Amino acid sequence: MSTTPPAAAEYGEKIVAVEPGGIEQVDAADRHGSPRQLLWTWASPNLEFATIFVGVLAVSVFGLTFWQAVLAVVLGNALGSVTHAVLSARGPDHGVPQMVLGRIAFGYRGNILPAALMSVMAGIGWFSVNSVSGAFALSSLTGWPVLSCLVLVVALQVVIAFFGHNLVQAYEKYVFVLLAVVFAVTSVVIFVKSDPGAAAGGGGVGGFLLTLGAAFGYTAGWNPYAADYTRYLPSTVNRRAVGLYASLGLFLSTTILMVVGAASATIGEGGEANPTTAFTHHLPAFLAAATLLSVTLGAVAANVINVYSGALSFLALGIKLPLNWRRAVVSVGYGAIGFALAWAGLADAGHAYESFLLVVAYWVSPWLAVILVDQYLRRGQDVSGLLANPRHSNLPGFISFVAGLVVSIGLFANQTLYTAPIPKAVPAIGDITFVVGFVISGGLYALLRRTR
């Protein structure tokens, strides 16, 4: 695997400096940091309204009682956090982004499909979703037009992502304290005012599985980013500590705020069209203002990671750009596209978000199954030579991924735009697409690899 260009060695721990290069292996001279930083790297991006809204959906849309919602989000988040630990621990070994590591399991060209999906979902999809929530919060706080707030939020996100890894990590670190304190106080107030027994339920098994899938889609949706933020750690770092801090930051932040969202849905509707205002109208004025500010800053924390990793995934497609700042330039491009989609999605953010969460789980689950099975089967092997080798092919990985994707979506998807035959015939089944996709892709890949 080739190392970074000579200029990259000057990057080191500089914060206000544009990260050079693209997806090359991080040079030993640039390795820095400790596993502990992963706690806020993965907590800050989830201390925002998009996380809260998963819990709101569980009660108000999927029809669960409060305690059913709690169980569903805890299980979904736990599954996504454990897999995140496994993938994060691999970053220091190879010093490359997660979607470059995917070439081991899918082959150099077979990896193009999952890298493209990740690039679109992160750099455009998630970027748009979080930009909308940040814009709504800033609009509620200031009274400015939502579109003006969207422009400001997107501009800040793109600037941070343009500079790259070190500034992204610094932002997550310094905003963490404010977000943690404000959301802790907000959570206490919401829980005090909530009425867990007010949620009538009625969602049944279907509602529970929809919530489980949405929570898993949200949390496991970060899995394809995992090594992006551990590849700069020294190669001698403790791998268990890397996995522990990464998963802990992810699990605690997502679970606590989703439960808060479920609790807020039991208080009663405020009648506001702006979803962030509907959440904060239960709070005292000073705390509502602080929460809206935190929602805005949390959306930025999520999106600087989205656009940064989206750019890395784009470069993992194998596209050659003769620019020292190629990752930075791609980040700006994604910011522009994400802004356009966020603008278009302002009118119906709630329903679009519900569908988007499930779609994320649809592709991440079979992708994850192939990655994990491959990592297990290749344990103890030296795979570094496969990362940049255009001749490396692994057809079983690609076939298993596509098979799991097509069969699970074709038969089990339960979406507004498409309802597959099985949930159409048995509505109570909800949406178990992500489970089916994982089982099919993982099982098929294990079979094909052993046969091969």
Side-chain angles (χ1 to χ4, degrees):
M1 183 72 186
S2 61
T3 57
T4 49
E10 302 174 0
Y11 183 53
E13 299 185 49
K14 296 178 182 177
I15 295 179
V16 187
V18 178
E19 179 188 1
I23 58 173
E24 301 85 1
Q25 184 182 53
V26 176
D27 191 86
D30 283 326
R31 299 290 189 107
H32 62 276
S34 68
R36 186 175 54 193
Q37 72 192 43
L38 297 171
L39 184 65
W40 48 76
T41 295
W42 290 114
S44 294
N46 295 295
L47 297 176
E48 51 134 1
F49 188 70
T51 317
I52 293 170
F53 202 53
V54 177
V56 174
L57 288 173
V59 173
S60 62
V61 176
F62 299 146
L64 297 188
T65 66
F66 172 76
W67 293 111
Q68 289 171 338
V70 170
L71 179 59
V73 301
V74 166
L75 289 176
N77 292 337
L79 290 172
S81 298
V82 169
T83 52
H84 196 69
V86 175
L87 299 183
S88 295
R90 206 178 191 188
D93 291 333
H94 302 285
V96 295
Q98 185 64 55
M99 296 314 292
V100 175
L101 286 174
R103 291 172 176 171
I104 300 171
F106 296 99
Y108 190 90
R109 291 182 175 81
N111 189 58
I112 291 176
L113 177 58
L117 289 171
M118 164 60 181
S119 186
V120 171
M121 287 293 179
I124 298 176
W126 273 119
F127 184 85
S128 302
V129 166
N130 290 310
S131 294
V132 168
S133 66
F136 274 128
L138 186 59
S139 177
S140 296
L141 178 64
T142 62
W144 299 341
V146 177
L147 181 57
S148 299
C149 294
L150 180 63
V151 171
L152 291 174
V153 168
V154 168
L156 178 58
Q157 293 165 166
V158 171
V159 167
I160 296 174
F162 177 83
F163 278 92
H165 179 272
N166 290 351
L167 185 57
V168 169
Q169 294 275 29
Y171 179 82
E172 307 297 349
K173 176 181 179 180
Y174 293 115
V175 80
F176 172 70
V177 176
L178 172 63
L179 296 180
V181 170
V182 171
F183 278 116
V185 177
T186 298
S187 298
V188 171
V189 174
I190 291 293
F191 283 133
V192 168
K193 291 191 173 186
S194 68
D195 181 7
V205 174
F208 183 87
L209 292 174
L210 280 167
T211 302
L212 178 63
F216 175 79
Y218 184 97
T219 303
W222 292 115
N223 288 178
Y225 305 57
D228 298 1
Y229 304 95
T230 62
R231 74 192 203 280
Y232 271 88
L233 292 174
S235 59
T236 56
V237 75
N238 185 302
R239 302 301 187 274
R240 290 186 178 180
V242 171
L244 175 63
Y245 280 109
S247 62
L248 194 61
L250 187 57
F251 178 76
L252 290 178
S253 57
T254 55
T255 301
I256 291 172
L257 286 202
M258 287 182 192
V259 171
V260 170
S264 73
T266 69
I267 299 176
E269 296 294 333
E272 292 84 357
N274 185 323
T276 55
T277 303
F279 174 72
T280 57
H281 88 279
H282 309 296
L283 307 174
F286 76 93
L287 184 56
T291 302
L292 290 170
L293 175 61
S294 296
V295 167
T296 303
L297 296 176
V300 173
N303 268 351
V304 295
I305 283 185
N306 284 320
V307 73
Y308 177 81
S309 288
L312 293 178
S313 298
F314 177 82
L315 295 175
L317 296 174
I319 297 173
K320 306 295 184 182
L321 297 178
L323 302 169
N324 190 39
W325 286 3
R326 49 192 170 275
R327 180 213 48 81
V329 172
V330 173
S331 296
V332 175
Y334 272 116
I337 298 172
F339 168 75
L341 289 181
W343 185 1
L346 288 175
D348 190 22
H351 288 94
Y353 184 47
E354 172 192 337
S355 298
F356 179 72
L357 281 173
L358 294 172
V359 169
V360 170
Y362 290 173
W363 85 266
V364 167
S365 188
W367 171 84
L368 188 59
V370 173
I371 291 289
L372 293 177
V373 172
D374 182 81
Q375 187 170 334
Y376 175 77
L377 293 177
R378 295 182 192 270
R379 63 194 184 281
Q381 299 179 19
D382 181 8
V383 295
S384 57
L386 306 179
L387 297 173
N389 182 4
R391 296 183 178 181
H392 168 54
S393 174
N394 189 27
L395 200 55
F398 181 79
I399 291 174
S400 301
F401 173 64
V402 173
L405 202 63
V406 171
V407 174
S408 62
I409 294 175
L411 295 179
F412 291 91
N414 193 350
Q415 286 282 314
T416 303
L417 298 178
Y418 171 69
T419 303
I422 292 179
K424 187 178 293 185
V426 189
I429 199 173
D431 194 330
I432 59 171
T433 309
F434 79 99
V435 177
V436 175
F438 187 91
V439 172
I440 291 177
S441 292
L444 181 59
Y445 183 63
L447 177 64
L448 292 177
R449 281 291 298 178
R450 289 187 181 278
T451 302
R452 186 180 182 186

